[in-house]
Amino acid sequence: MTREGWTRLGLVAAGIAALEALCRTKVIKPLTLVPPSRMVHDLAGLLIAGDIFDDIGQTAIEVGGAFFLAIVLGVLMGAAIQATPRLRRAVAPVLASWYAVPSFVFYPLLVALFGLSTSPLIAIGVLSATPAMVVATIGGLDRVPRVLLRAARIHRLTAAQTLWLITLPSALPSLFTGLKLSFAYAFIGVIAGEFILSGGGIGYGIAYAYESFETPKMYALMLLVLIVAVGVNGALHAWEGRLLQRRQR
Amino acid sequence: MTAEAGAHATLRAVTRTYPGARPVHALGPIDLDLMRGEFFSVVGPSGCGKSTLLDVLAGLSEPTSGEITFEGKPVRGVPDGIGVVFQEDASFPWLSVRDNVAFGLRRMGTDPAEITRRVDYAIGFMGLKDFAHSYPAQLSGGMRQRVCIARTLVLQPRLILLDEPFGALDQQTRLLMGDELLRLWRETSATVLLITHALDEAAMLSDRVGVMSARPGVFIDLVQTNWPRDRDSRIVAEAEFGAVTGRLWGSLRAESMKAIGRAG
Ligand SMILES: Nc1ncnc2c1ncn2[C@@H]1O[C@H](COP(=O)(O)OP(=O)(O)O)[C@@H](O)[C@H]1O
Ligand SMILES: [Mg+2]
């Protein structure tokens, strides 16, 4: 591991240790925050008991579905926008200001449309996650060097070969940024949606535990969310590093 | 197929105008017969249409008027048998040097043993052996250009077009790269069209040099050199070399002045 890596690990460990100490010495009251070690213990207990598997499964389907749809929609829309200058000029301001719109305000509308099922949650995830993928796709396609496309034609590649062998690898650095952001937005969208209005899922579990004063369970679930968010992002980051490390100019 | 000494590629009254609100007449009319196996260079002031000439000859863009043939057939799109080394770095940054060089052969479904043999040869020929597993990002600009040349030569093109391939290199390295280019030309017996802005490079390497006018580029002089086929960069020391370079500059001086905005 690099020196920066050790420093980062040290800082996180110190933060957790400090929190543990503050909780154990009751400087922070147990009703406010349980010690980190207890969170780990409670989470392990929940996982062993299997009580939360349904919630985990529901959230996984929602986040996975939203992430997948956002990638497909984002890449298709991004490619269409990038290839059509008029369309691009028309939608550029919309894309730029998308993040200023809290997509959650549409949630009641989505529930009215789809009913109280997983569909409105997937929809809110897609709404949150797609723009990042659109922007990343446009940026990636913009950065495909023209000379490489000319080299593709000299090699007499078909359109599909050019897309797969030249365009995709050229756009990959930007696409990875899009993947990481899209996952984050899909995850946030779904968990928050479950929080507000849902009958299941991790977000719902946290809200339910909060309302019924099950503080330990609430924190265990929060820890789970944190682990999944950091874990998936870290996995994408590592994959990106492996694919891109050797081509940094 | 035409006889050994016949025209390999022909351009007849070829022009190219870039369309737009203010159309740019970039090239022509050009008439040229590239002889099979000859080393032909094009010199001309910058912006005179040299790269445009390469584009239409390679089938990358269509001429606005005129006819181009390669091996007797009209050029429509990129024909089989043409290799191009571009002015810009066109190495694929996500592939190792080896995979860059093998790129074209793999697309054509060549037998793996044959690929290995030809890639090894091209890598050795271009002096890239120690860098076979490096990535373009780890190489200098000149080395990357060598990768592109190796990637082209491994396909054994019958016509090789090079657009100022050594533009970024220092004079000494350019002379040595010129030697390698001559060696490549001799060993492959391909027809070579080299675009360059360096008069000495053109004079030293070529059987014939076409001098282009300022835009729209037309040939204002065609200079025959009569060098032996097994020449190398040492001919720069010969009196004949000075005469050729002098003639090129004589034709080009007025055009270069036009290009920088002064009256000849
Ligand atoms: N795609 C294009 N659209 C409009 N003008 C162009 C385009 N490409 C080149 N030109 C113009 O055509 C002229 C010839 O360009 P080029 O062939 O690249 O010159 P050279 O290679 O001799 O420097 C230049 O004036 C250039 O600005
Ligand atoms: Mg040029």
Side-chain angles (χ1 to χ4, degrees), chain A residues 145 147-157 161 165-167 169-171 243 245-249, chain B residues 55 59-60 78-80 82 84 86 88-94 103-104 107 135-137 144 151 155:
Chain A
V147 68
L148 298 192
L149 294 175
R150 280 149 56 85
R153 292 180 57 201
I154 290 296
H155 282 92
R156 292 149 54 91
L157 301 189
Q161 284 176 321
L165 297 168
I166 308 291
T167 310
S170 297
L243 283 176
Q245 62 173 338
R246 286 175 290 207
R247 50 191 273 197
Q248 247 76 56
R249 288 238 160 139
Chain B
D55 263 29
L60 286 170
V78 179
D80 178 44
I82 290 189
V84 177
F86 293 101
E88 307 93 330
D89 170 24
S91 60
F92 303 134
W94 56 90
F103 183 86
R107 299 293 84 67
Y135 283 76
R144 276 185 228 157
R151 193 174 71 192
L155 296 171

Side-chain angles (χ1 to χ4, degrees), chain B residues 18 24 26 45-52 215:
Chain B
Y18 289 103
V24 179
S46 63
C48 76
K50 301 184 295 295
S51 297
T52 304
R215 200 190 79 207

Side-chain angles (χ1 to χ4, degrees), chain A residues 7 32 50 53 71 81 89 94 104 119 127-128 130 133 142 148 158 169-170 180 187 204 212 214 228 245:
Chain A
T7 312
T32 314
F53 283 174
I71 293 170
I81 291 168
R89 282 194 294 277
V94 180
F104 295 112
S119 306
L127 272 179
S128 319
T130 305
M133 208 57 217
D142 280 346
L148 298 192
T158 62
S170 297
K180 288 191 287 187
F187 196 55
Y204 165 78
S212 52
E214 291 179 81
V228 171
Q245 62 173 338

